[in-house]
Amino acid sequence: MPDLLLELFSEEIPARMQRKAAEDLKKLVTDALVERGLVYEGAKAYATPRRLTLHIAELPVRGRDVREERKGPRVGAPEAAVQGFLKAAGLASLDQATIVSDPKKGDSYVAIIEKPGQETVSAIAEIVPQVIRAFPWPKSMRWGKASAAGASLRWVRPLHSILCTFGPETEDPEVVHFEVDGIASGNVTRGHRFHAPEPITVKRFEDYVAKLEKAKVVLDADRRKEIIATDAKNLAFAAGLELVEDEGLLEEVAGLVEWPVVLLGDFEERFLEIPGEAIRATIRANQKCFVLRDPNSGELANRFIPVSNLMASDGGLAITAGNGRVVRARLSDAAYFWQTDRGPLPDLDTLRGCADKLELDLAKPLDQRMAKLDRLGVVFHAKLGTQGERVQRIAALAKELAPIVGADPALAERAARLAKADLPTEMVGEFPELQGLMGRKYAELQGENPSVAAAIEEHYKPLGPSDRVPTDPVSVAVALADKLDTLVGFWAIDEKPTGSKDPYALRRAALGLIRLVVENGVRLPLEKWLHYQVNGFEFAWLAAPRWGAVDQVFAALNTALSQASKSDLDRSFLDASDALMQAARLLNVDNEAELIRQAVAAGKPKALDLLSFFHDRLKVMLRDQGARHDLVDAVLGEGASGNDDLLLITRRVAALGRFLDTEDGRNLLAGYRRAANILKAEEKKDGEGAFAGAVHLQLIAETGLIEEKALAVALAQATPKAEAAVAAEDYEGAMAALAELRPAVDAFFDKVTVNDPDPALRANRLRLLNQLREATRAVADFDRIAG
């Protein structure tokens, strides 16, 4: 069967767009072919800097013929109905219709519509111009004289030619003829811009690939990546060094060259005084080069790997020298940034007020930068205050979270106050991707505690599902505080993710907080903290205009929280209004009861909505790890308790999954369902909660049914065991206690009639089943378990 070869040849396509553009081309063309009934064997798209290519194998020469029967009105129907039928079916008169008899409905008209399959060449000639004109480039342009006309073709870069051939392997393929804005399709392409710029006539795909290879073009981007990676490793090994692998850079460089030639350059050793991460960022960002390191020490070497797009006559010496000149200039800039950031700022006197407010030491360079950030009033968000105000909130929160995660409160507070201090540094201003990391470097240089320095870098983590989770308690405390402040703040101003839109990366922040809690084994009563923080924002907006900045509320609020926790350790949840009242007193705000009532009323639904958002992200994470979605729902169900402790939720889900994988678990679930269904049916008659009372043991004794008595005894023994195990957070033990019910439940349903004619016996047995339902709910809501 014939193959299709399509190439769209243009000026250089940005590397970041190439792979998606190739996939878009494949999807758009193949979808359109399938819509026309043209089913293919396989398709693959390719991209180089100057071309998008699509190869579709085993396409039919023409589509299948279509025969359709379209039913019309009955014989003798009004003229308007008949005319409408003729028009819709494309018939000139009723003579072209068939009359079909139905014993019940009588005679009616039927149109037999036969459509011959479309020629594939004709379909391609229709499809490709449509795809080109509507191609979904992120950015596109017009060019030439035609660009003055608004309807002219738009493409990512000027489109020069279109190659389109169709035919079987045994014959010369034909050119599929069409035209797009004056560009006629043909069977001609061009090779490498410098090595083989002449026109090349091609036939089918194999011929196309081979001729491009001779013309110094490697069509497959993955093969270009493999060539670059292999040659770079070999060059590094020959120099006694090791390549610092960078998948993102490799993907980008493979999109910059059609014929990759890997070279080796160097720079002066004095630049190695700059932090390795800064060297790598400089060389990567400005020259798209790879860096090398010493395999023994792990430190960067003064060598780099540029990738050229041509085979130079001098072996690449001039290219390497040119790259070296630019690298040295950029490293000189980085060296200046590194030196400047370690020195004192010239305007220290203007920073003293900010330093005192944030408890900073102006003798230290990083503290000076934090004071500068506060003085500049850099806005975090128009409705959430400045970065300086946010740092104060994070510091207060980190100090209170520290005991929960096992961190020193003073170190956590200090780390939080310096967490954003590197944002105004010269190095981070030039390379924003180094934020946090440079803060750590500068903190180490000024003698900060190692945990404080680590937290400055790690509080941004984890940045995604595969990113490392911090384990140092100080880092965990600051990271939790940072993410909680972000999430609560944006929830408070109603800037939540919607659909695919998440401009503030709140889903990522929530997932990061979940992973911090779960992977570090942190017991965090999330609902309490969400209420405190959300209510703090609401109260601040109501009261702040009278007495000062919003950040004062949070400092007072967290102090109140700390005092309340110490004075009443037995209370798991202090009412938010109590904490706000204490905060108001600390701030000397009198008669604020109405403001507090309004703040709590406005904050409660937002806090609960945010908790629900955490549950949704937790479900996604657990499902990605292989947990059944229904088990997550069961543990989070209305009948289950403690659903704001993310660590306990994950442990419950795991224990429930293991239990249901056993025979006892499956059989108990079946028995539970039977009991729940009976109760549901009978509660419709007697009313919800009609069987919530205690079981009358005397009635059970009078019936003499061993199975009924056995279930009552089993429930009396297993229920307190399960409840005690849940209270002790021994979920395996709770499941084992429930498993003891399985034989009694099986025997009960086998021998006992629940809906006995005697109303007293019926009600008593239904109460017994209700006890079974309540016993399982101590662990999970079994109603939500599927299967």
Side-chain angles (χ1 to χ4, degrees):
M1 295 178 73
D3 291 358
L4 169 67
L5 172 61
L6 172 66
E7 181 201 71
L8 306 175
F9 184 81
S10 69
E11 295 293 326
E12 278 72 5
I13 304 167
R16 68 182 185 279
M17 299 183 187
Q18 290 173 20
R19 195 170 288 270
K20 185 176 185 304
E23 291 304 311
D24 286 341
L25 179 63
K26 183 177 82 169
K27 185 177 188 308
L28 291 169
V29 174
T30 56
D31 285 356
L33 288 169
V34 171
E35 283 179 9
R36 289 165 169 79
L38 299 168
V39 181
Y40 56 93
E41 179 70 22
K44 188 170 182 181
Y46 304 85
T48 79
R50 297 207 296 162
R51 72 199 77 222
L52 295 179
T53 300
L54 175 63
H55 174 231
I56 302 179
E58 302 289 317
L59 268 170
V61 176
R62 57 177 291 172
R64 289 174 295 180
D65 296 339
V66 177
R67 187 178 188 275
E68 176 188 354
E69 292 187 4
R70 183 172 298 180
K71 190 174 180 180
R74 60 180 174 78
V75 175
E79 183 63 21
V82 172
Q83 291 302 319
F85 164 66
L86 293 174
K87 183 177 181 181
L91 304 181
S93 69
L94 288 176
D95 294 338
Q96 295 175 306
T98 303
I99 297 176
V100 177
S101 297
D102 187 303
K104 294 182 179 179
K105 299 182 179 179
D107 296 344
S108 59
Y109 295 110
V110 173
I112 307 298
I113 304 172
E114 294 183 348
K115 295 181 179 178
Q118 186 180 14
E119 296 288 337
T120 302
V121 169
S122 172
I124 294 169
E126 291 177 5
I127 290 168
V128 175
Q130 293 172 3
V131 168
I132 292 173
R133 290 191 178 95
F135 203 82
W137 291 109
K139 289 185 178 180
S140 59
M141 62 178 288
R142 296 189 180 97
W143 62 93
K145 294 181 180 179
S147 62
S152 64
L153 176 66
R154 298 188 68 94
W155 200 247
V156 63
R157 294 293 184 269
L159 183 65
H160 291 313
S161 67
I162 302 169
L163 182 153
C164 191
T165 65
F166 179 74
E169 294 182 4
T170 56
E171 303 173 9
D172 284 346
E174 66 175 299
V175 173
V176 181
H177 291 285
F178 56 85
E179 188 176 294
V180 181
D181 275 34
I183 304 171
S185 59
N187 59 353
V188 175
T189 185
R190 292 179 183 272
H192 192 280
R193 181 184 287 276
F194 304 111
H195 292 304
E198 301 82 11
I200 302 170
T201 302
V202 300
K203 297 180 180 179
R204 59 189 57 84
F205 180 69
E206 293 75 12
D207 175 57
Y208 170 77
V209 173
K211 286 183 176 177
L212 281 183
E213 193 87 15
K214 289 181 180 179
K216 298 294 185 289
V217 174
V218 178
L219 180 65
D220 190 343
D222 289 330
R223 185 161 166 256
R224 295 198 300 274
K225 287 174 64 175
E226 184 181 352
I227 292 169
I228 295 167
T230 301
D231 290 356
K233 288 176 183 177
N234 290 340
L235 269 180
F237 181 77
L241 301 171
E242 181 180 69
L243 178 70
V244 178
E245 296 189 25
D246 188 330
E247 179 61 29
L249 180 59
L250 182 60
E251 176 76 17
E252 183 177 9
V253 172
L256 295 174
V257 296
E258 290 193 317
W259 189 257
V261 178
V262 179
L263 305 169
L264 181 64
D266 60 16
F267 55 86
E268 288 78 2
E269 286 192 12
R270 62 185 175 85
F271 289 121
L272 294 178
E273 296 177 1
I274 306 167
E277 296 84 356
I279 294 174
R280 183 178 175 186
T282 300
I283 294 177
R284 184 188 197 278
N286 293 295
Q287 289 306 105
K288 313 301 180 190
C289 295
F290 298 88
V291 294
L292 305 179
R293 64 187 166 209
D294 186 324
N296 299 315
S297 66
E299 298 295 325
L300 287 189
N302 62 323
R303 301 289 185 90
F304 63 94
I305 297 275
V307 180
S308 171
N309 189 35
L310 55 83
M311 298 175 63
S313 57
D314 64 353
L317 292 176
I319 295 172
T320 303
N323 275 278
R325 284 193 296 274
V326 178
V327 165
R328 291 182 190 91
R330 297 301 182 216
L331 289 178
S332 295
D333 291 341
Y336 169 77
F337 299 149
W338 174 239
Q339 181 179 1
T340 302
D341 289 339
R342 290 179 294 163
L345 290 174
D347 50 354
L348 290 184
D349 289 340
T350 64
L351 303 178
R352 297 197 183 281
C354 296
D356 293 342
K357 179 175 64 175
L358 294 170
E359 301 177 19
L360 300 170
D361 182 357
L362 286 183
K364 298 180 176 181
L366 196 58
D367 291 57
Q368 296 174 18
R369 271 68 185 178
M370 183 61 237
K372 179 181 178 181
L373 181 66
D374 184 51
R375 184 178 67 83
L376 291 174
V378 177
V379 174
F380 171 66
H381 187 281
K383 296 181 181 179
L384 298 175
T386 65
Q387 284 283 13
E389 292 168 341
R390 182 165 182 261
V391 164
Q392 286 189 279
R393 296 199 302 269
I394 294 172
L397 187 54
K399 181 180 180 181
E400 301 306 327
L401 286 170
I404 297 175
V405 302
D408 183 321
L411 292 180
E413 183 179 22
R414 173 66 176 167
R417 293 194 183 283
L418 295 178
K420 311 297 180 183
D422 63 350
L423 294 182
T425 62
E426 300 286 343
M427 192 72 84
V428 173
E430 182 71 15
F431 305 108
E433 66 270 25
L434 296 182
Q435 66 179 7
L437 188 146
M438 294 312 303
R440 179 176 189 163
K441 298 284 186 184
Y442 297 139
E444 290 171 344
L445 286 173
Q446 69 179 33
E448 296 293 338
N449 184 286
S451 292
V452 171
I456 295 172
E457 177 185 8
E458 295 179 342
H459 83 281
Y460 292 106
K461 295 181 177 292
L463 292 174
S466 59
D467 194 21
R468 181 180 64 84
V469 173
T471 55
D472 186 293
V474 175
S475 297
V476 174
V478 180
L480 285 174
D482 180 63
K483 290 168 177 58
L484 266 177
D485 182 81
T486 297
L487 287 158
V488 169
F490 283 107
W491 239 256
I493 64 174
D494 201 27
E495 288 280 0
K496 299 178 287 188
T498 56
S500 61
K501 295 181 179 179
D502 187 11
Y504 303 110
L506 301 183
R507 291 188 181 98
R508 186 178 71 185
L511 180 60
L513 187 145
I514 291 168
R515 291 187 62 205
L516 283 164
V517 167
V518 172
E519 296 183 29
N520 285 292
V522 175
R523 299 293 309 281
L524 183 67
L526 195 57
E527 186 174 354
K528 177 174 78 172
W529 288 94
L530 295 182
H531 276 288
Y532 280 129
Q533 295 301 110
V534 173
N535 292 340
F537 273 109
E538 298 293 339
F539 180 69
W541 291 326
L542 289 167
R546 304 186 192 184
W547 45 260
V550 171
D551 51 274
Q552 290 180 273
V553 170
F554 289 93
L557 187 63
N558 285 305
T559 301
L561 171 60
S562 175
Q563 292 173 351
S565 300
K566 292 172 184 175
S567 64
D568 194 357
L569 294 175
D570 294 331
R571 296 180 65 185
S572 61
F573 183 80
L574 177 68
D575 187 87
S577 61
D578 292 347
L580 287 174
M581 185 62 76
Q582 292 186 54
R585 291 179 187 137
L586 288 167
L587 292 164
N588 296 319
V589 178
D590 299 324
N591 301 319
E592 299 297 335
E594 178 58 24
L595 293 183
I596 291 171
R597 187 194 66 76
Q598 292 177 25
V600 173
K604 184 176 181 179
K606 293 180 179 179
L608 294 177
D609 184 53
L610 181 51
L611 180 61
S612 177
F613 179 72
F614 275 110
H615 288 164
D616 289 340
R617 303 321 298 165
L618 179 62
K619 288 180 189 178
V620 171
M621 187 187 84
L622 292 178
R623 281 199 291 264
D624 289 345
Q625 294 174 357
R628 286 168 44 181
H629 69 89
D630 56 325
L631 301 191
V632 182
D633 290 334
V635 169
L636 292 174
E638 294 178 5
S641 59
N643 64 3
D644 73 328
D645 191 322
L646 303 177
L647 180 62
L648 289 192
I649 291 171
T650 59
R651 290 176 178 174
R652 283 190 179 194
V653 170
L656 183 58
R658 287 190 292 269
F659 175 60
L660 292 176
D661 284 339
T662 66
E663 186 179 356
D664 282 344
R666 290 189 292 269
N667 288 337
L668 180 62
L669 177 60
Y672 169 86
R673 284 188 178 139
R674 189 171 177 183
N677 289 335
I678 292 171
L679 284 167
K680 195 177 295 183
E682 298 308 308
E683 283 175 340
K684 287 181 180 179
K685 303 173 186 176
D686 296 43
E688 190 173 347
F691 311 112
V695 174
H696 298 310
L697 299 179
Q698 183 63 33
L699 275 176
I700 293 176
E702 290 173 0
T703 63
L705 290 174
I706 298 173
E707 294 80 10
E708 186 175 11
K709 181 179 179 182
L711 180 57
V713 171
L715 280 168
Q717 293 174 348
T719 301
K721 285 183 184 178
E723 291 174 348
V726 169
E729 298 170 7
D730 177 13
Y731 298 112
E732 301 288 353
M735 299 299 171
L738 291 182
E740 296 175 7
L741 294 171
R742 180 254 175 126
V745 171
D746 291 347
F748 178 85
F749 283 121
D750 189 42
K751 299 295 183 180
V752 178
T753 301
V754 176
N755 286 320
D756 193 273
D758 184 337
L761 288 178
R762 168 184 172 272
N764 205 43
R765 288 168 183 171
L766 288 169
R767 283 193 288 270
L768 193 60
L769 294 185
N770 186 63
Q771 285 191 356
L772 172 63
R773 181 169 64 181
E774 294 303 316
T776 60
R777 283 183 175 173
V779 176
D781 186 348
F782 276 42
D783 286 331
R784 297 173 183 253
I785 299 176

